[in-house]
């Protein structure tokens, strides 16, 4: 039913049942309204806001979290695309001009690499945080991911977006979605942690990496595990495609064609399946050159992105 | 009286090395033990070199499918140990993907002590299945220099990232109890590379394509007081790399004038190295990750990578000074 669900897991079925029940309820309401006749004010009182995230509110949050207007600042990052372009142009020699076909093909070879790399390094942390969104677990995952992000540029991108997500959650979403404020202890830990590590001292206790926070927020909003993983990975694709448009690789129609295409859908499903059971301890880089491109982004003479 | 032969331990592939500082202030082997297919050799003459030297070998120069090596190393306070190999560690093919060749390394390094592990690269053959886990526990005053690199395979036989699976994981932990805050020890760094030649998502590039022409990729990890200057050197050289896409806006005469200024030996070395990096397409980056310096590199030939890492380590000089030139024999 829901287009966001891939595969036929139990969760998918549960979501479908919840969705069908919701539609049944709505149909009954409409029936009741029509029975009361035209003389009656034809509106039911709106349903009270549920205190626990139900399937309907989960759907609502799913749309919010997948919205490209979610102010995470993702637009500032190209996830290595800008550096990749600079490096491949150099290797290809000056003969390759930026013809539309060449740009599109260079993006289409970057996209699967980037997806695979992002999934193998990051997705296990999203999944683990969704499976256990307690503050202690999120803090442990956050610290573990901090140890695994081995380049400055990648860390900057992950932490900037993670901090933005936590701010949105705390300032805007948590009061409705999670009245018990279950992430608050983690936010407190982050605030109390020193910003930069002192000379030779231990690294700070919390960093606010995006992946564990996204998993926890997804869980607290009532999103299913697979939905959360899918939205997270789709967000990465959307950010990449948008960066490609702004880098002048292709225009908005081509961008939407890539997003809507079967290739992206297939890749998303496959990388999520691949990382479904990967323990966070075994997450790692599946595309080693990505580390080089990422790390060398700092060497670009001119750049329009932060990563 | 000591037996001239190292003791043997009872489990296949098990090995243990303990190095301590002897009363006359020289690093010395306290014990060394190994079992087939692992083989350890320590030449006796190395006392004045600054560190104990050990060759990490395997019978026949490689590991066949299903071989497992578990080596644990203890470097006691103020002792120094260098580990090298003799030629690439070859990983032979596995008949089925569930037969995994493994190397596990567990290292404890105490205050003032240091380990320098600069082996030859691992060379995974076609259809080989290999997993390597190296875990280092360091107290606050301990030092580590670790090189971990892997090649495309046997080019003479047309292999080019034809391996089945290669997983390499390096972890640096603070030693339990060394910091007041943590009793269990804390993970400082986890560097993991997963090369999977077999199961790749449909429509995504093959492993070979995803390597983008690199014949070898590697990681250098530096931690601790003894690697401080080396770490600073890599970060400074990385920061000094020419900008990608930069243009030379100098006029022709100004350029001539500036080129006429005689260069210092260091500037000449750097210019030569940068030329090498351009010619052989050596790509590298360096970053400070939670107090560890992580250098990632890749090159289009194995020799280019060896020359590059060699010239960096030799030019900076602290490895040779602290561990002896023998520690560098695999990167020359």
């Amino acid at each position: 039913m829901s287009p966001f669900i891939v595969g036929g897991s139990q969760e998918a079925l549960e979501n479908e049942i919840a969705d069908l029940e919701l539609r049944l309820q709505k149909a009954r309401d409409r029936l009741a309204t029509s029975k009361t006749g035209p003389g009656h004010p034809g509106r039911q009182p709106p349903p009270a806001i549920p205190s626990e995230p139900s399937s309907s509110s989960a759907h609502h949050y799913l749309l919010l979290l997948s919205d490209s207007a979610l102010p995470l600042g993702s637009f500032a990052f190209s996830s290595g695309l800008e550096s990749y372009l600079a490096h491949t142009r150099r290797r290809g020699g000056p003969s390759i001009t930026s013809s539309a076909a060449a740009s599109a093909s260079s993006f289409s070879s970057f996209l699967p690499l980037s997806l695979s790399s992002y999934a193998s390094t990051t997705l296990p942390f999203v999944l683990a945080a969704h499976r256990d969104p307690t503050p202690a677990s999120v803090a442990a995952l956050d610290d573990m991911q901090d140890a695994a992000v081995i380049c400055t540029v990648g860390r900057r991108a992950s932490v900037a977006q993670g901090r933005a997500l936590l701010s949105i959650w705390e300032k805007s979403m948590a009061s409705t979605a999670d009245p018990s404020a279950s992430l608050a202890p983690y936010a407190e830990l982050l605030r109390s942690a020193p910003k930069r590590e002192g000379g030779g001292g231990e690294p700070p206790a919390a960093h606010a990496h995006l992946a564990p926070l996204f998993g926890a927020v997804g869980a607290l909003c009532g999103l299913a595990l697979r939905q959360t993983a899918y939205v997270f990975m789709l967000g990465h694709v959307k950010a990449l495609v948008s960066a490609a448009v702004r880098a002048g690789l292709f225009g908005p129609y081509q961008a939407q064609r890539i997003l809507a295409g079967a290739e992206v859908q297939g890749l998303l499903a496959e990388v999520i399946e691949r990382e479904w059971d990967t323990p966070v301890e075994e997450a790692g880089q599946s595309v080693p050159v990505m580390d080089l491109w990422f790390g060398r982004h700092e060497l670009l003479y001119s750049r329009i992105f932060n990563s | 009286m000591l037996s001239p032969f190292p003791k043997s331990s009872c489990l296949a592939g098990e090995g243990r090395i303990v190095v301590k500082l002897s009363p006359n202030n020289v690093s010395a082997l306290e014990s060394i033990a190994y079992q087939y297919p692992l083989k350890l050799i320590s030449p006796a003459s190395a006392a004045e070199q600054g560190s104990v030297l050990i060759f990490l070998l395997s019978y026949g120069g490689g590991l066949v499918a299903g071989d497992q090596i578990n080596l644990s190393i203890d470097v006691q306070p103020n002792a120094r140990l260098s580990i090298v190999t003799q030629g690439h560690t070859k990983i032979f093919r596995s008949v089925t993907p569930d037969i995994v060749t493994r190397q596990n390394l567990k290292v404890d390094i105490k205050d003032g002590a240091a380990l320098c592990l600069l082996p030859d690269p691992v060379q995974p053959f076609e259809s080989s299945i290999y997993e390597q886990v190296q875990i280092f526990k360091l107290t606050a005053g301990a030092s580590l220099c670790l090189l971990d690199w892997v090649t495309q395979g046997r080019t003479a036989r047309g292999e080019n990232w034809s391996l089945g699976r290669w997983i390499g994981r390096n972890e640096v932990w603070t030693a339990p109890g060394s910091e007041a805050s943590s009793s269990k020890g804390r993970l400082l760094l986890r560097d993991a590379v997963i090369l999977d030649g077999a199961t790749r998502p449909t429509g995504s590039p093959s492993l070979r394509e995803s390597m983008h022409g690199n014949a070898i990729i590697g990681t250098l990890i530096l931690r601790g007081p003894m690697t401080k200057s080396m770490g600073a050197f890599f970060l400074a050289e990385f920061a000094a790399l020419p900008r990608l896409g930069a243009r030379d806006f100098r006029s022709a005469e100004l350029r001539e004038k500036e080129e006429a200024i005689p260069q210092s030996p260091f500037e000449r070395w750097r210019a030569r190295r940068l030329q090498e990096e351009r010619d052989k397409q050596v790509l590298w980056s360096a970053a400070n990750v939670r107090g560890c310096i992580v250098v990632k590199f890749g090159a289009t030939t194995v020799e280019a990578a060896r020359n590059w890492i060699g010239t960096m380590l030799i030019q900076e000089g602290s490895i040779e000074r602290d561990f002896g030139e023998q520690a560098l024999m695999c990167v020359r």
Side-chain angles (χ1 to χ4, degrees):
Chain A
M1 174 59 221
S2 165
F4 299 99
I5 290 161
V6 281
S9 71
Q10 195 180 344
E11 275 156 333
L13 287 173
E14 280 167 7
N15 281 334
E16 193 174 348
I17 290 167
D19 193 45
L20 289 171
E21 277 171 353
L22 182 74
R23 291 207 294 162
L24 180 65
Q25 184 60 43
K26 278 186 180 158
R28 286 207 172 117
D29 289 350
R30 278 206 306 277
L31 184 65
T33 322
S34 66
K35 271 182 184 163
T36 52
H40 204 271
R43 285 198 81 101
Q44 286 282 309
I49 293 165
S51 57
E52 284 290 298
S54 70
S55 174
S56 62
S57 75
H59 198 243
H60 182 74
Y61 291 120
L62 173 66
L63 294 174
L64 289 185
L65 288 175
S66 60
D67 189 353
S68 53
L70 187 72
L72 292 187
S74 316
F75 57 83
F77 306 98
S78 82
S79 301
L81 174 65
E82 190 176 27
S83 178
Y84 159 81
L85 292 171
H87 281 91
T88 46
R89 236 176 251 147
R90 204 168 65 107
R91 282 208 168 180
S95 61
I96 294 181
T97 52
S98 55
S99 75
S103 320
S105 87
S106 103
F107 181 80
S108 69
S109 57
F110 181 77
L111 178 67
L113 291 180
S114 177
L115 257 178
S116 170
S117 163
Y118 198 59
S120 68
T121 51
T122 317
L123 190 54
F125 291 92
V126 178
L127 295 169
H130 187 285
R131 286 170 178 137
D132 180 6
T134 57
S137 149
V138 172
L141 289 167
D142 181 41
D143 195 47
M144 207 185 287
Q145 200 189 5
D146 195 61
V149 180
I150 49 91
C151 84
T152 322
V153 182
R155 168 186 316 262
R156 201 160 56 208
S158 177
V159 167
Q161 296 176 75
R163 280 183 183 266
L165 178 63
L166 188 62
S167 299
I168 297 165
W169 173 253
E170 289 232 289
K171 292 181 180 149
S172 318
M173 295 173 75
S175 57
T176 318
D178 176 39
S180 60
S182 46
L183 263 188
Y186 172 78
E188 204 40 59
L189 182 70
L190 183 68
R191 269 191 289 274
S192 65
K195 287 278 184 292
R196 297 289 308 155
E197 58 190 284
E202 284 229 340
H207 320 270
H209 281 282
L210 177 64
L213 282 168
F214 197 92
V217 165
L220 294 173
C221 287
L223 264 63
L225 184 58
R226 203 170 283 268
Q227 282 178 327
T228 308
Y230 201 87
V231 175
F232 183 74
M233 291 308 297
L234 182 64
H236 177 70
V237 181
K238 288 200 292 189
L240 267 186
V241 169
S242 142
V245 171
R246 281 168 298 142
L249 286 186
F250 41 69
Y253 286 112
Q254 172 72 6
Q256 287 304 315
R257 197 160 80 199
I258 291 171
L259 285 175
E263 193 204 348
V264 160
Q265 293 184 40
L267 279 172
L268 284 172
E270 283 198 52
V271 294
I272 291 170
E273 202 54 51
R274 189 184 72 192
E275 306 302 336
W276 194 252
D277 294 316
T278 306
V280 283
E281 291 80 11
E282 290 173 20
Q285 180 57 266
S286 60
V287 186
V289 276
M290 198 62 78
D291 282 337
L292 297 174
W293 293 328
F294 246 101
R296 291 168 64 87
H297 185 268
E298 296 192 279
L299 298 179
L300 299 190
Y301 180 72
S302 62
R303 46 189 181 227
I304 49 177
F305 298 103
N306 278 336
S307 85
Chain B
M1 194 54 216
L2 278 175
S3 157
F5 301 104
K7 278 178 289 190
S8 81
S9 73
C10 53
L11 281 165
E14 297 275 325
R16 181 160 173 78
I17 302 169
V18 181
V19 179
K20 61 165 193 201
L21 194 71
S22 66
N24 57 353
N25 250 347
V26 173
S27 296
L29 265 179
E30 172 153 296
S31 70
I32 178 168
Y34 61 86
Q35 184 63 267
Y36 178 89
L38 173 66
K39 189 168 172 171
L40 303 169
I41 294 179
S42 180
S45 64
E48 72 283 2
Q49 285 270 20
S51 68
V52 170
L53 178 71
I54 288 185
F55 284 89
L56 176 61
L57 307 172
S58 49
Y59 287 87
L63 298 170
V64 297
D67 274 352
Q68 301 220 358
I69 281 180
N70 292 300
L71 178 59
S72 83
I73 297 175
D74 195 352
V75 191
Q76 308 245 319
N78 302 314
R80 290 175 196 175
L81 171 65
S82 320
I83 295 184
V84 293
T85 56
Q86 273 191 326
H88 297 192
T89 303
K90 305 173 185 71
I91 312 296
F92 291 89
R93 70 185 294 254
S94 285
V95 186
T96 60
D98 54 318
I99 303 179
V100 182
T101 310
R102 288 179 208 278
Q103 283 211 71
N104 294 316
L105 182 63
K106 281 203 167 69
V107 181
D108 278 294
I109 310 176
K110 301 285 168 16
D111 273 347
L115 169 67
C116 177
L117 180 52
L118 295 173
D120 286 291
V122 175
Q123 185 185 36
F125 290 1
E126 184 170 3
S127 306
S128 60
I129 307 286
Y130 179 73
E131 290 185 25
Q132 165 186 303
V133 179
Q134 309 190 112
I135 295 173
F136 302 87
K137 290 200 168 137
L138 275 70
T139 61
S143 303
L144 168 71
C145 169
L146 160 72
L147 176 63
D148 181 18
W149 40 352
V150 52
T151 76
Q152 64 196 153
R154 291 170 294 184
T155 39
R157 302 197 48 165
E159 291 177 1
N160 186 4
W161 303 108
S162 317
L163 55 98
R165 191 169 73 238
W166 191 96
I167 295 178
R169 200 159 92 224
N170 301 308
E171 297 181 359
V172 179
W173 294 73
T174 58
S178 71
E179 311 275 341
S181 55
S182 56
S183 57
K184 197 176 131 275
R186 185 170 176 194
L187 179 68
L188 289 175
L189 177 78
R190 177 179 282 139
D191 161 62
V193 170
I194 302 166
L195 305 178
D196 200 330
T199 55
R200 302 186 70 79
T202 41
S204 65
S206 68
L207 176 62
R208 178 179 317 165
E209 287 163 337
S210 81
M211 301 306 288
H212 269 253
N214 285 292
I216 181 164
I217 52 139
T219 309
L220 180 77
I221 295 173
L222 303 168
R223 164 98 191 160
M226 225 181 279
T227 65
K228 218 179 173 77
S229 64
M230 182 66 82
F233 176 72
F234 271 97
L235 289 179
E237 283 304 306
F238 181 64
L241 282 179
R243 304 293 103 170
L244 292 166
R247 269 191 233 153
D248 194 346
F249 290 109
R250 293 175 300 177
S251 67
E253 14 183 320
L254 186 61
R255 200 177 309 162
E256 253 171 47
K257 216 160 96 190
E258 285 183 4
E259 276 163 9
I261 301 170
Q263 291 179 312
S264 70
F266 181 73
E267 283 168 335
R268 275 202 300 279
W269 168 81
R270 182 190 273 163
R272 222 173 25 244
R273 196 201 82 221
L274 290 176
Q275 189 58 45
E276 273 298 284
E277 287 180 17
R278 270 191 299 275
D279 293 346
K280 304 283 170 51
Q281 294 175 341
V282 180
L283 289 185
W284 67 284
S285 74
N288 184 342
V289 182
R290 294 156 59 104
C292 306
I293 305 299
V294 182
V295 179
K296 289 269 173 191
F297 60 93
T300 48
T301 66
V302 175
E303 277 324 293
R306 197 191 296 273
N307 290 341
W308 177 81
I309 193 80
T311 193
M312 291 293 279
L313 295 175
I314 291 163
Q315 175 67 34
E316 197 276 334
S318 65
I319 298 282
E320 190 163 345
R321 192 180 64 233
D322 294 336
F323 295 90
E325 60 166 350
Q326 49 181 11
L328 292 162
M329 65 172 69
C330 296
V331 295
R332 279 185 194 276

